[in-house]
Amino acid sequence: MKKLFITALCLVIAAAMCLTGCAPAEDTSESGNHGGNLEPEAVAFAEINETLTPGSYTLGATVTPAEASQAVIFSVIGTAAGVTLTGNTLTVSENAPDGVTFRVKVAAQTDPTVSATKTFTISNTAPAATAITTEAELRAMNLNGSYVLGGNIVLTSPWVPLGTPDNEETGTTGVGFAGTLDGAGYTISGIVIEGLDKGNDGANVGFFNKIESTGVIKNIGFESGTGENDGLSARCWSAAVAGYNFGLIENVYTNVKVTMTAAPGCPGGAMVSTNHGTIKNSYAIGQVTVAEGGTHGASFVCANENTVTNSYFLNTAGNCAIGWQKQQNPNIQKSEEWLKNPANFIEAGWDESVWCFVDGYYPMLRHEGFVAPAPLATISITNTEEYLDYNVEQQRTLQINYVIKNLENTAVTFALQSAVAGVSLSETGLVTLSDAVADGATFTVTVTSVEKTDLTASITLTVNRANVEEIIEISTLAQLKALTTTTNPADLAKNYRLKNDIEMEGWFNENIGAAANTAFTGTFD
């Protein structure tokens, strides 16, 4: 009996202890009740504004049913510049780009497959840009400011480039323009930049010596005169807009004379020297000149390490697209006729609210008060031939074809610029070669509008009539080098014989047939 009483008493005490000490511990986590036994069915964000300005925000979420664990995990999908997420605290930095959207995911901790996403948009409007209306205000720009032109600026004295470039020889990192210059469609003209002996060995010079990754140059034109001392003069590796570009150059045109003095032939650029950033929807028509004798050229950019998109260079203003080793790129190098055809830019997606396209004109930037000019009358010859081979019967005649735009009367007259033996031209533009024509004969056909006599176009043609039995003697270095510079394929099918020893002098970088892009098929004795 005593044993039964003690056993019963122990059971009562144990039950009493469990009533006070065996209950679940209180949930102290930030994510809510972790102790629910039901499986989560759905999760939803707590109410929060979807447009976020710089600052910190506490995210919340609810799991259903209510009896399920309320523990959740937040994460940013992908990456978003200037956005960080720690636990349930979302932070938007002061440097976060305006207008950027990003998504945040919330998932139930007990079953991450139960989740929801929300899209946020950053509102981080930059401070109002400082207006520039005078040359003095332009020269007073600092490297981190935001500026907008209020009109065209004409420089009256040489421009001192902004920023300092990187110096690869010393390993010194330069300090560049990190702000924004919005031209609002206006132009900076009268540019003279004396890039020689400016503390950087006359290299990497431009209107900006360097543009940082945050730097933006947009909606602006840069122009110089064409006089002997106008434009940019530097030793090497320099360009009109920037020595180094790590930022964004968009909707910019340059018509700046650029001259490189270092020999042999260090490259020069019409837009940028070394591009590590983005050049977009921009063009350059300024004449670029480099010293003769080198393997590098006059170009749009001297070196491109990143992106050039829908941007162009007048093919007669330089000899290549990228100056380093004279790299050619038909997507960049364009003719004057191509650059004055609005359809090409509209097809490339250039913004017509920024640019004005008119037949016969280079693209023009729009600005307040801008008035578009009337379309120009234009005439162009559509033939693509450069040579006529008398040995091929079908090439003894050639019809000259043309197109006239923006002129009602499309009648024209044809003429030979000067008489050439064995070449005749009919009133309708038919060229005929006779047996009297000489090998290598060159002639030019001009097409002139009847209504507008100052409207002309011309085409120059060369005759191939190689005598395969003839032997051409070579006695000088100049005669030998002529085989590397000729663009006439017929020259590479002829027979040559050295008349004496020839001693090479200086650089000899091109191969026979290089200029004509044609294999040598003759004999070389």
Side-chain angles (χ1 to χ4, degrees):
M1 186 69 176
K2 185 177 180 180
K3 290 182 179 180
L4 288 174
F5 175 78
I6 292 174
T7 301
L9 180 61
C10 288
L11 290 172
V12 170
I13 293 172
M17 289 177 63
C18 200
L19 285 175
T20 59
C22 295
E26 182 181 354
D27 183 9
T28 60
S29 72
E30 293 182 358
S31 299
N33 177 25
H34 291 253
N37 295 320
L38 295 180
E39 292 294 325
E41 296 177 359
V43 62
F45 278 88
E47 185 174 348
I48 183 173
N49 196 327
E50 295 178 357
T51 300
L52 305 179
T53 58
S56 294
Y57 302 85
T58 300
L59 303 178
T62 302
V63 179
T64 54
E67 293 80 6
S69 170
Q70 297 298 303
V72 294
I73 300 171
F74 294 96
S75 60
V76 175
I77 299 176
T79 59
V83 174
T84 57
L85 178 61
T86 304
N88 63 341
T89 301
L90 181 68
T91 302
V92 178
S93 76
E94 295 289 341
N95 296 322
D98 180 52
V100 169
T101 60
F102 64 95
R103 291 189 300 159
V104 174
K105 176 181 178 181
V106 59
Q109 189 179 68
T110 56
D111 184 359
T113 63
V114 178
S115 63
T117 62
K118 182 177 277 293
T119 300
F120 296 94
T121 301
I122 296 173
S123 175
N124 189 16
T125 306
T130 301
I132 291 177
T133 57
T134 68
E135 179 180 1
E137 290 171 340
L138 184 70
R139 293 182 183 276
M141 286 192 302
N142 67 58
L143 296 179
N144 297 300
S146 179
Y147 303 95
V148 60
L149 295 189
N152 294 322
I153 305 291
V154 180
L155 301 179
T156 59
S157 61
W159 175 256
V160 178
L162 290 178
T164 55
D166 298 346
N167 190 317
E168 296 178 2
E169 293 183 2
T170 63
T172 304
T173 300
V175 179
F177 181 75
T180 298
L181 176 59
D182 182 351
Y186 292 110
T187 298
I188 298 173
S189 62
I191 293 174
V192 175
I193 301 174
E194 299 169 345
L196 300 175
D197 192 27
K198 294 297 180 183
N200 52 10
D201 198 26
N204 306 311
V205 180
F207 191 90
F208 301 90
N209 279 336
K210 182 181 181 181
I211 300 172
E212 300 285 3
S213 60
T214 56
V216 176
I217 313 300
K218 62 181 181 178
N219 311 327
I220 191 170
F222 295 91
E223 295 185 354
S224 71
T226 57
E228 182 178 355
N229 297 318
D230 291 332
L232 165 65
S233 297
R235 193 178 66 84
C236 63
W237 283 94
S238 297
V241 177
Y244 285 97
N245 173 49
F246 291 85
L248 171 64
I249 295 173
E250 182 175 16
N251 297 324
V252 171
Y253 81 85
T254 68
N255 187 7
V256 176
K257 177 186 171 186
V258 175
T259 304
M260 299 294 101
T261 61
C266 281
M271 184 68 68
V272 166
S273 178
T274 303
N275 178 49
H276 294 277
T278 297
I279 303 173
K280 181 179 180 182
N281 296 357
S282 299
Y283 74 92
I285 59 175
Q287 190 68 44
V288 183
T289 304
V290 302
E292 296 181 359
T295 58
H296 311 308
S299 56
F300 182 70
V301 295
C302 298
N304 181 42
E305 305 295 338
N306 200 347
T307 304
V308 175
T309 303
N310 295 334
S311 296
Y312 313 109
F313 180 44
L314 177 62
N315 58 8
T316 57
N319 58 14
C320 54
I322 300 172
W324 172 250
Q325 296 184 336
K326 297 180 182 177
Q327 298 174 47
Q328 305 296 318
N329 187 332
N331 293 324
I332 294 175
Q333 295 162 269
K334 301 296 182 181
S335 67
E336 180 178 353
E337 180 183 357
W338 193 98
L339 290 170
K340 291 183 176 180
N341 184 349
N344 294 323
F345 297 92
I346 294 171
E347 182 181 354
W350 282 35
D351 189 343
E352 292 187 71
S353 69
V354 175
W355 294 97
C356 174
F357 308 114
V358 179
D359 262 339
Y361 292 88
Y362 292 112
M364 294 163 282
L365 286 166
R366 298 181 185 274
H367 55 76
E368 187 175 355
F370 174 82
V371 177
L376 287 178
T378 61
I379 184 171
S380 58
I381 293 174
T382 58
N383 297 80
T384 58
E385 294 88 352
E386 295 181 10
Y387 300 95
L388 293 179
D389 192 340
Y390 183 81
N391 300 313
V392 179
E393 187 172 351
Q394 296 92 323
Q395 294 190 31
R396 293 178 186 175
T397 60
L398 175 68
Q399 177 62 49
I400 304 299
N401 300 310
Y402 67 94
V403 173
I404 286 186
K405 293 182 179 179
N406 306 316
L407 202 62
E408 290 186 8
N409 186 350
T410 58
V412 298
T413 59
F414 296 89
L416 282 172
Q417 201 170 79
S418 58
V420 176
V423 179
S424 61
L425 177 67
S426 73
E427 292 183 354
T428 59
L430 181 68
V431 174
T432 302
L433 303 180
S434 74
D435 188 54
V437 70
D439 180 44
T442 298
F443 61 94
T444 299
V445 178
T446 300
V447 183
T448 303
S449 165
V450 170
E451 178 180 337
K452 189 175 173 60
T453 57
D454 61 343
L455 189 62
T456 66
S458 62
I459 182 172
T460 299
L461 297 158
T462 301
V463 177
N464 293 335
R465 195 177 180 183
N467 181 351
V468 296
E469 301 302 324
E470 178 186 7
I471 296 177
I472 301 170
E473 292 185 331
I474 294 177
S475 59
T476 68
L477 179 58
Q479 291 173 330
L480 181 62
K481 284 188 173 182
L483 293 179
T484 73
T485 59
T486 180
T487 57
N488 186 349
D491 290 338
L492 303 172
K494 298 177 181 179
N495 302 316
Y496 299 91
R497 180 168 58 208
L498 288 185
K499 188 177 180 180
N500 46 256
D501 292 339
I502 293 178
E503 183 175 349
M504 308 301 291
E505 298 173 355
W507 291 96
F508 192 65
N509 298 315
E510 302 296 347
N511 303 319
I512 290 176
N517 195 26
T518 301
F520 181 78
T521 58
T523 62
F524 193 96
D525 181 356

